[in-house]
Amino acid sequence: MKTSIRVLMGACALGALATAASAETITIATVNNGDMIRMQGYTDQFTAKTGIDVEWVTLEENVLRQRVTTDISTKGGAFDIMTIGMYETPIWGANGWLVPLDDLSAEYDVDDILPAMAGGLSHDGTLYAAPFYGESSMIMYRTDLMEKAGLEMPAAPTWEFVREAAAAMTDRDADINGICLRGKAGWGEGGAFITAMSNSFGARWFDMDWNAQFDTEAWANTLNFYVGMMNESGPAGFATNGFNENLSLFQQGKCGMWIDATVAASFVTNPKESTVADSVGFALAPDTGLGKRSNWLWAWALAIPAGTQQEAAAKQFIEWATSKDYIELVAENEGWANVPPGARTSLYENPNYMDVPFAQMTLDSILSADPNNSTVEPSPYVGVQFAAIPEFAGIATEVSQEFSAVYAGQQTVEEALAKAQALTNDAMEAAGYR
C-alpha cells in the first residue's frame, strides 16, 4: 500500500513538473507610455485565459528603439514581441526581420484597422505589426488660461496665433509656461516634433535628388521660430523635455499649451492624474498658410521578430492586446476616454466613444496627415515626421542632437543647420543615394 502511494505521488510530481516545463513565457519590449503601462495591468487576464506567461521589458522611448533595433538586426532573440512604429515596420518587413501577420483570426477583424494605420504598418500589402494605438498630434490647451488672456483658440490655428497666445498665457511668477514642446534629442522625440513642424513652414529633409535641405530659408525659419517662441514662453530646460516630461508639466498645470501626441488627451483629461482635467480644449496642429499642418502620423504597434521560438503564443497576445475585446475591457474598467485610440474604425463608429471630448479632433488629425504627400515642395520619401529609409534613424538622431544643443544655448541656429547639412549629405553619399 505504501509503495502504491509513493508511486502515485511520484507520478503526480512528475506530471506537475511536466506542466510547469511546458508553460510558455513570452518576453515583450515596450515603451513606458501610459497606455502601455495600463496594458501591463491587464496581462494577468491574458495569462488566465491562455496559460501563457508574459515578461515585460519597459523602456524609455529612445532606449527602446536602440534595444529593439540592435536585437533584431543582430538576431539577438531577446524578445518575442517588440513595440515598434510606422518607421521601422515596413523596412524590417521588407528585410524579412518580422513575422507576417497575414493569418490573424476572422474574429480579430483585421479589416477594422483604420486604413492609415494598416497602410503604415504594411509592406507590399502585408501587415507586419498590429497597432495598439494610433495617433497624430494636436494642440491641447488650458481653456481657463486662454480665456484669461482674452483669446479664443481657433479650431485650425496658425503658428503666429500660437506664439501670441503662448506669450499671453505665460506667467513666470506662477510657474506657468505658455507652451511646452519637445526638445529632447532623438529622431522620434524632439526630432519628430521639429520635422513635423518644418513641414508647415515649407521645409523638407531632401530634394528629389536626395540632397539635404538644411541650408534653406524654410529650415532657418522653422528653427528660429521654435527657439524664439520657446525662449519667450517655454519651460526652463526644454532642451531635455520629451513626451513624458511635457505630459507631467501639463498635468501639473504648468503649461498653457502643449502640442503633442493625440493619445495624451486621455491623460490630461483624467482627474485622477491631471490637476487641470476640467479645463482642457483641443485644436488641430498649427500651420503657416502654406497648405500643410504640423501634425504627424504614428502608431505604436506590436510585431513579432522572425526566428522567435514563441510565434504562436506571440500571435495570441497580439490578437488579445489589439482586439475590440481589449478596448471593451478598458472601457468597462476605466471609461471610454481611456481606451487605446486611433487604431480601429469601429471605435469611431461607437457613440459611447464619440461622446468623448477629444475623439473627433483625434480622428480629424489622423485623417489630415498624409505620409505620401507631407511636404509643400515634392520630396522623394514617404513619412510625415520621418523619411522612411533605413539610414534616417541614425542621421536624424545626430541632427536632433545638434538642434537640442541650440535649445540649450550651446550653439547658434546657423551653426546647427550647417552641421546638419554636412552630416546628412555625407551619410547619404556614403549610403549611395548621391
Side-chain angles (χ1 to χ4, degrees):
M1 186 70 174
K2 289 181 180 178
T3 302
S4 299
I5 292 172
R6 288 194 189 100
V7 171
L8 181 60
M9 289 176 65
C12 290
L14 288 171
L17 286 171
T19 301
S22 65
E24 289 186 277
T25 300
I26 56 174
T27 302
I28 305 176
T30 196
V31 66
N32 63 342
N33 289 352
D35 280 288
M36 299 302 188
I37 302 298
R38 181 181 287 137
M39 174 172 58
Q40 293 175 40
Y42 291 106
T43 303
D44 286 348
Q45 297 196 30
F46 169 76
T47 299
K49 181 180 178 180
T50 64
I52 299 168
D53 292 322
V54 179
E55 292 184 356
W56 291 95
V57 179
T58 307
L59 303 166
E60 185 271 334
E61 187 169 323
N62 286 336
V63 178
L64 172 75
R65 288 192 166 104
Q66 293 168 358
R67 286 279 299 276
V68 299
T69 299
T70 299
D71 190 72
I72 200 163
S73 61
T74 61
K75 299 182 180 179
F79 309 113
D80 302 299
I81 295 176
M82 295 175 167
T83 305
I84 60 176
M86 288 186 170
Y87 168 67
E88 300 94 342
T89 301
I91 296 172
W92 293 1
N95 287 347
W97 292 353
L98 300 175
V99 174
L101 301 182
D102 53 2
D103 58 351
L104 299 177
S105 68
E107 182 184 5
Y108 178 77
D109 192 7
V110 71
D111 292 335
D112 186 48
I113 297 173
L114 281 168
M117 297 300 150
L121 297 170
S122 298
H123 171 69
D124 281 350
T126 297
L127 189 72
Y128 282 94
F132 180 68
Y133 67 77
E135 66 180 40
S136 183
S137 52
M138 65 182 177
I139 302 175
M140 292 159 278
Y141 68 95
R142 291 273 299 279
T143 54
D144 56 336
L145 295 182
M146 190 70 71
E147 183 179 355
K148 183 180 178 181
L151 298 170
E152 184 175 344
M153 175 68 80
T158 64
W159 274 112
E160 286 295 340
F161 174 85
V162 167
R163 187 169 185 171
E164 174 192 352
M169 288 191 286
T170 297
D171 185 345
R172 298 299 188 195
D173 292 337
D175 199 18
I176 295 175
N177 309 285
I179 190 162
C180 295
L181 300 174
R182 299 188 192 191
K184 188 176 187 177
W187 73 262
E189 275 280 10
F193 180 85
I194 201 68
T195 296
M197 181 177 177
S198 77
N199 293 337
S200 69
F201 277 78
R204 53 186 175 163
W205 269 76
F206 305 103
D207 68 13
M208 295 302 290
D209 295 318
W210 295 103
N211 297 303
Q213 295 296 289
F214 293 105
D215 58 355
T216 61
E217 183 179 359
W219 263 109
N221 289 344
T222 303
L223 218 55
N224 279 310
F225 188 95
Y226 173 91
V227 172
M229 180 173 61
M230 293 300 287
N231 286 338
E232 292 166 2
S233 307
F238 69 87
T240 58
N241 287 351
F243 174 86
N244 285 324
E245 292 81 5
N246 286 324
L247 172 61
S248 178
L249 287 170
F250 195 95
Q251 289 177 322
Q252 294 172 47
K254 296 182 179 181
C255 301
M257 287 179 289
W258 179 31
I259 305 172
D260 212 298
T262 52
V263 72
S266 69
F267 301 112
V268 298
T269 57
N270 186 340
K272 296 179 181 178
E273 301 175 353
S274 175
T275 63
V276 297
D278 61 349
S279 56
V280 182
F282 307 96
L284 290 174
D287 68 1
T288 64
L290 296 178
K292 299 295 178 184
R293 307 208 75 82
S294 49
N295 56 307
W296 63 63
L297 185 68
W298 186 253
W300 277 118
L302 303 180
I304 304 171
T308 175
Q309 301 302 304
Q310 309 290 344
E311 181 178 322
K315 284 185 178 178
Q316 278 187 266
F317 183 86
I318 287 177
E319 285 210 16
W320 173 80
T322 65
S323 67
K324 298 176 188 178
D325 287 345
Y326 178 83
I327 290 173
E328 293 278 354
L329 174 65
V330 176
E332 180 181 346
N333 287 277
E334 304 187 40
W336 281 100
N338 295 307
V339 305
R344 286 187 170 270
T345 301
S346 57
L347 182 62
Y348 293 92
E349 295 171 347
N350 188 321
N352 293 315
Y353 188 70
M354 291 310 289
D355 284 341
V356 172
F358 51 81
Q360 189 62 54
M361 186 60 70
T362 295
L363 182 61
D364 291 345
S365 298
I366 288 172
L367 296 178
S368 70
D370 182 359
N372 296 307
N373 187 30
S374 63
T375 54
V376 173
E377 295 185 66
S379 61
Y381 53 86
V382 172
V384 180
Q385 74 278 27
F386 58 84
I389 57 174
E391 296 77 14
F392 180 80
I395 296 170
T397 295
E398 290 189 56
V399 169
S400 72
Q401 290 166 349
E402 299 297 342
F403 288 177
S404 289
V406 176
Y407 310 156
Q410 297 168 356
Q411 64 180 342
T412 67
V413 167
E414 292 74 18
E415 289 169 338
L417 289 173
K419 292 177 181 178
Q421 179 75 8
L423 72 88
T424 302
N425 275 338
D426 287 349
M428 295 301 283
E429 187 169 341
Y433 286 81
R434 304 175 63 243

